[in-house]
């Protein structure tokens, strides 16, 4: 089941990114809004805002065209390079001032706005040069309302539209709109053309650029859109036009109820402020843009981050996995912020969300896996090891190498003397009681001195030292355990006498040497145990106790490496071992 989780998560999380679903697109745009660098004005523009107070002084809106002609003339006298009216004049002036206004417009390069409508009428396409194959992309104009003939014959016209993103805000502005006849320039692009007195613009379909001759290319996306940098363009009023000197003046009104405000990422603004921001963005060389290859890069970031999060949290430990998870999240977040603030609008928000989902899932599975392993270790060893040893194994499961490894250990075997005769002469309940008490007394001694209880074989016990945890002087620990077993058995026998039950005695065999230690058995059932000649010799020493006449026999290696003063006994021959075994025992008190 675990093998299918990662592919399933990748598919589930990749689809919203590849399909550019609306919620994800909104999240991306909001992230751009938060981190796009605030740009400084280009210095080429001023906004002439005809305020509500101005309108009251002038006697109401619309201002007479003759008054507009005066404003146009005053701007030229103040030194304004060009005037761009973010106002449309689709009907004649009721006061007959069109001729005066047209005369004023003709004195310098000027632009009038055309607003979109559903009329189906489009302005003529003039001076368009297309490089590369026209794939038919871009914004389709619904139609425009042109200015009256007397005005459009002396001034240029540009389409002032305000298409919104999926969340209803204006962030990207089309510099060209596709019409049935070709392309119509936007209001801001027409300003640029008039500034350099050019009628031609070049549309490079291959490189996604729009070029006005004698000016640097303008980078746009496939829909011919430019990301808008909402800069603080200087604003002037009718009271003082001096700051219009050497500037392009964009003219509009903020009078109440006249022009609808446009929803942007910076709040509601008036159309002339929007058009100024678009024009400023064209002049900014480091204006932000969404590269054409953004989706490929975003998907590569998503995939690499997702895979790395899964693999490293699986391979690393819990703590290192968490450290990587936090570090990579911060690093990718800073990378995303860095690219946005440097003008490349790449989105890493979904990659971070996906990393959190995949990393959290992987981390949970890792935790669950380790938890199950800890519980297995506890279940396997809690009856055979000291609780402190069990805790250490749970904290470091790598100490248990599956399949077994070679290790130098000390092995101890015990066996209850006369168990067969006891079983035949006593009630089974009494035999069981005595055996359980006898084995418990032995196990307590093994745990007391840091040994591992391997198994019970009928009335026999097997234990070993130095595995799975390393123990210094484990030979001494095994002999300490044997001495404690003697004491525990003596105390048990006193209790059995008080209960009118027969006493028991045990034989103990101890030997040290190399053995294979680990989990051994079948795939479905295994035990932690040890095998090897040193183990076999320990078992033979225990079985020889009765023959030798001692309750404890110790092998040569254990005797030589321990700190005990042991009594050497005559060598013995045991089954399965060709050589004679040197044996030792504790001197009797």
């Amino acid at each position: 089941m675990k093998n299918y989780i990662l592919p399933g998560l990748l598919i589930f999380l990749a689809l919203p990114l590849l399909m550019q679903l609306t919620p994800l697109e909104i999240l991306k745009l909001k992230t751009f809004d938060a981190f796009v660098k605030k740009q400084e004005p280009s210095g080429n523009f001023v906004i002439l805002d005809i305020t509500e107070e101005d309108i009251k002084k002038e006697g109401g809106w619309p201002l007479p065209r003759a008054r507009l002609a005066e404003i146009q003339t005053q701007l030229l006298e103040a030194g304004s390079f060009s005037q761009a009216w973010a106002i449309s004049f689709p009907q004649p002036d009721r006061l007959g001032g069109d001729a005066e206004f047209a005369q004023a417009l003709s004195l310098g390069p000027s632009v009038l706005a055309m607003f979109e409508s559903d009329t189906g009428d489009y302005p003529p396409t003039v001076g368009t040069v297309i490089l590369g194959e026209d794939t038919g992309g871009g914004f389709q104009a619904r139609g425009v309302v042109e200015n009256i003939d007397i005005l459009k014959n002396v001034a240029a016209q540009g389409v002032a539209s305000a298409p919104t993103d999926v969340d209803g805000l204006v962030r990207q502005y089309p510099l060209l709109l596709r019409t049935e006849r070709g392309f119509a320039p936007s209001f801001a692009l027409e300003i640029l053309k008039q500034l350099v007195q050019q009628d031609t613009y070049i549309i490079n379909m291959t490189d996604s650029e729009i070029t006005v001759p004698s000016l640097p290319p303008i980078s746009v996306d496939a829909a011919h859109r430019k990301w808008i940098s909402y800069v603080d363009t200087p604003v002037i009023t009718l009271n003082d036009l001096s700051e219009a000197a050497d500037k392009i003046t964009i003219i509009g009104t903020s009078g109440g109820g006249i022009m609808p405000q446009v929803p942007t990422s910076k709040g509601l603004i008036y159309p002339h402020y929007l058009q100024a921001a678009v024009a400023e963005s064209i002049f900014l060389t480091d204006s932000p843009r969404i590269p054409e290859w953004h989706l490929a890069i975003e998907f590569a970031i998503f995939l690499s981050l997702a895979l790395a999060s899964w693999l490293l949290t699986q391979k690393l430990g819990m703590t290192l996995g968490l450290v990587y998870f936090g570090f990579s999240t911060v690093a990718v977040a800073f990378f995303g912020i860095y690219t946005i603030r440097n003008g490349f609008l790449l989105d890493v928000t979904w990659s971070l969300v996906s990393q959190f989902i995949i990393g959290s899932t992987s981390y949970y599975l890792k935790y669950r896996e380790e938890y199950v392993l800890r519980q297995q270790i506890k279940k396997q060893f809690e009856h055979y090891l000291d609780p402190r040893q069990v805790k250490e194994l749970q904290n470091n499961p790598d100490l248990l190498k599956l399949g077994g490894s070679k290790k130098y250990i000390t092995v101890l075997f015990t066996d209850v003397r006369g168990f067969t005769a006891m079983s035949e002469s006593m009630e089974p309940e009494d035999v069981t009681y005595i055996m359980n008490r006898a084995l418990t007394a032995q196990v307590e001694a093994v745990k007391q001195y840091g040994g591992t209880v391997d198994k019970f074989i009928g009335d026999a016990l097997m234990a070993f030292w130095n595995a799975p945890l390393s123990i210094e002087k484990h030979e001494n620990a095994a002999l300490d355990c044997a001495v404690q077993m003697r004491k525990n058995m003596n105390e048990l026998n006193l209790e059995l006498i008080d209960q009118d039950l027969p006493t028991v005695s045990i034989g103990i065999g101890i030997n040290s040497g190399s053995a294979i230690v680990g989990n051994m058995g079948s795939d479905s059932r295994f035990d932690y145990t040890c095998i090897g000649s040193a183990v076999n010799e320990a078992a033979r020493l225990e079985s020889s106790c009765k023959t030798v006449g001692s309750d404890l026999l110790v092998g040569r290696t254990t005797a030589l490496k321990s700190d005990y003063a042991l009594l050497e006994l005559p060598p013995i021959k045991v089954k399965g071992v060709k050589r004679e075994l040197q044996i030792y025992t504790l001197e009797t008190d």
Side-chain angles (χ1 to χ4, degrees):
M1 179 66 180
K2 182 179 176 180
N3 295 334
Y4 297 102
I5 293 178
L6 178 58
L9 281 174
L10 287 176
I11 294 172
F12 175 76
L13 295 171
L15 285 177
L17 178 61
L18 296 175
M19 297 173 66
Q20 295 287 281
L21 296 183
T22 297
L24 181 57
E25 188 72 10
I26 293 174
L27 176 64
K28 174 173 70 175
L29 293 171
K30 296 295 186 185
T31 303
F32 292 162
D33 293 342
F35 296 108
V36 164
K37 182 173 66 176
K38 180 69 179 291
Q39 301 276 9
E40 295 298 322
S42 65
N44 296 306
F45 300 92
V46 293
I47 297 172
L48 172 56
D49 183 27
I50 302 175
T51 65
E52 181 69 24
E53 290 184 4
D54 294 331
I55 293 172
K56 288 180 181 179
K57 291 179 181 179
E58 298 290 343
W61 188 267
L63 302 188
R65 304 279 166 86
R67 176 64 180 127
L68 298 183
E70 291 178 5
I71 295 173
Q72 173 79 7
T73 303
Q74 290 170 356
L75 285 170
L76 290 169
E77 291 173 349
S80 174
F81 278 143
S82 175
Q83 297 73 48
W85 293 81
I87 304 170
S88 180
F89 305 98
Q91 292 89 28
D93 182 19
R94 65 181 184 278
L95 301 177
D98 290 323
E100 293 179 60
F101 189 35
Q103 174 63 25
L105 290 174
S106 68
L107 297 176
S110 54
V111 182
L112 303 178
M114 294 183 293
F115 292 102
E116 286 190 279
S117 72
D118 293 321
T119 61
D121 296 329
Y122 303 106
T125 300
V126 179
T128 303
V129 177
I130 298 177
L131 300 180
E133 182 181 357
D134 185 356
T135 57
F139 277 82
Q140 183 70 41
R142 296 176 293 120
V144 295
V145 177
E146 293 192 71
N147 294 280
I148 58 176
D149 292 341
I150 190 174
L151 299 181
K152 73 178 183 180
N153 289 335
V154 295
Q157 298 183 104
V159 182
S161 61
T164 60
D165 289 319
V166 292
D167 59 351
L169 301 181
V170 178
R171 296 182 184 86
Q172 304 172 84
Y173 197 91
L175 299 186
L176 295 171
L177 279 81
R178 185 178 289 275
T179 71
E180 293 182 353
R181 302 186 183 96
F183 291 96
S186 66
F187 183 74
L189 185 60
E190 196 60 38
I191 292 174
L192 193 64
K193 288 171 58 181
Q194 292 303 307
L195 178 65
V196 292
Q197 292 294 288
Q198 293 287 339
D199 290 332
T200 303
Y201 52 89
I202 303 168
I203 307 171
N204 189 327
M205 296 289 185
T206 304
D207 297 331
S208 295
E209 291 179 342
I210 300 173
T211 303
V212 174
S214 75
L215 292 176
I218 306 165
S219 295
V220 292
D221 64 10
H224 314 304
R225 296 180 301 179
K226 180 74 175 175
W227 188 274
I228 304 173
S229 294
Y230 288 100
V231 303
D232 295 327
T233 304
V235 180
I236 61 176
T237 65
L238 292 176
N239 296 327
D240 183 7
L241 302 179
S242 60
E243 290 188 29
D246 301 325
K247 302 290 192 298
I248 301 169
T249 306
I250 298 176
I251 309 153
T253 179
S254 59
I258 298 173
M259 302 293 286
Q261 295 189 74
V262 180
T264 73
S265 58
K266 304 301 179 182
L268 292 172
I269 65 175
Y270 287 99
H272 52 305
Y273 283 83
L274 172 64
Q275 298 304 325
V278 177
E280 292 271 24
S281 300
I282 293 175
F283 273 88
L284 295 173
T285 57
D286 57 347
S287 180
R289 63 186 295 258
I290 300 176
E292 290 300 307
W293 34 265
H294 73 95
L295 187 56
I297 296 297
E298 290 166 5
F299 183 76
I301 294 172
F302 157 79
L303 193 60
S304 59
L305 196 60
L307 290 174
S309 297
W310 180 274
L311 293 175
L312 290 181
T313 50
Q314 286 292 307
K315 296 297 182 182
L316 299 177
M318 299 290 288
T319 302
L320 283 177
L322 187 60
V323 169
Y324 160 76
F325 186 80
F327 174 79
S328 61
T329 299
V330 172
V332 173
F334 271 104
F335 169 78
I337 294 172
Y338 176 81
T339 56
I340 293 172
R341 294 193 67 82
N342 281 273
F344 290 96
L345 302 184
L346 295 175
D347 177 44
V348 298
T349 52
W350 187 243
S351 295
L352 291 173
V353 171
S354 300
Q355 182 199 23
F356 178 79
I357 294 173
I358 290 177
S360 299
T361 302
S362 175
Y363 199 77
Y364 164 74
L365 293 174
K366 180 75 171 180
Y367 173 81
R368 188 180 69 175
E369 183 179 283
E370 292 199 5
Y371 176 78
V372 171
L373 179 59
R374 289 170 187 263
Q375 293 304 108
Q376 288 176 341
I377 290 172
K378 182 180 179 182
K379 183 177 180 181
Q380 186 173 2
F381 289 99
E382 64 183 345
H383 299 298
Y384 310 122
L385 292 175
D386 181 272
R388 292 169 295 179
Q389 292 176 297
V390 176
K391 187 68 175 177
E392 188 171 350
L393 287 176
Q394 285 184 297
N395 292 335
N396 190 5
D398 291 339
L399 293 172
L400 289 171
K401 184 178 179 181
L402 298 178
S405 60
K406 189 175 183 179
K407 197 166 188 181
Y408 175 74
I409 61 173
T410 296
V411 187
L412 178 148
F413 279 88
T414 70
D415 183 59
V416 175
R417 297 288 176 253
F419 175 71
T420 303
M422 185 187 301
S423 301
E424 292 175 352
S425 61
M426 295 178 61
E427 293 296 326
E429 292 83 0
D430 292 334
V431 175
T432 301
Y433 173 76
I434 293 172
M435 288 307 305
N436 286 342
R437 293 297 308 280
L439 291 173
T440 298
Q442 298 170 53
V443 169
E444 287 176 352
V446 173
K447 288 185 176 181
Q448 183 177 346
Y449 290 98
T452 301
V453 177
D454 185 310
K455 62 174 70 72
F456 301 108
I457 312 168
D459 61 333
L461 175 144
M462 174 184 172
F464 53 87
W465 280 259
N466 207 38
L469 303 178
S470 297
I471 301 174
E472 292 186 5
K473 286 290 185 178
H474 50 86
E475 299 88 356
N476 286 346
L479 288 167
D480 290 339
C481 175
V483 172
Q484 187 63 44
M485 280 185 177
R486 282 177 169 179
K487 293 179 181 179
N488 290 352
M489 294 305 296
N490 289 336
E491 293 174 1
L492 173 61
N493 283 331
L494 292 176
E495 295 179 14
L496 293 176
I497 291 171
D498 290 341
Q499 300 175 45
D500 293 327
L501 293 173
T503 60
V504 291
S505 60
I506 62 173
I508 305 172
I510 300 176
N511 190 45
S512 300
S514 295
I516 302 300
V517 185
N519 285 318
M520 301 179 193
S522 68
D523 292 338
S524 58
R525 182 172 180 176
F526 53 84
D527 289 311
Y528 188 78
T529 187
C530 55
I531 58 175
S533 59
V535 180
N536 296 336
E537 290 179 11
R540 298 304 183 197
L541 291 176
E542 182 280 318
S543 62
S544 300
C545 285
K546 187 175 182 181
T547 304
V548 175
S550 173
D551 67 344
L552 171 63
L553 293 180
V554 181
R556 183 172 183 274
T557 303
T558 307
L560 293 178
K561 292 193 175 185
S562 74
D563 296 330
Y564 274 77
L566 299 173
L567 177 64
E568 184 175 1
L569 300 176
I572 61 173
K573 186 75 174 175
V574 298
K575 183 179 179 182
V577 181
K578 293 181 179 180
R579 60 184 172 82
E580 288 186 332
L581 299 181
Q582 289 181 267
I583 57 174
Y584 301 79
T585 190
L586 289 170
E587 295 184 5
T588 55
D589 297 334

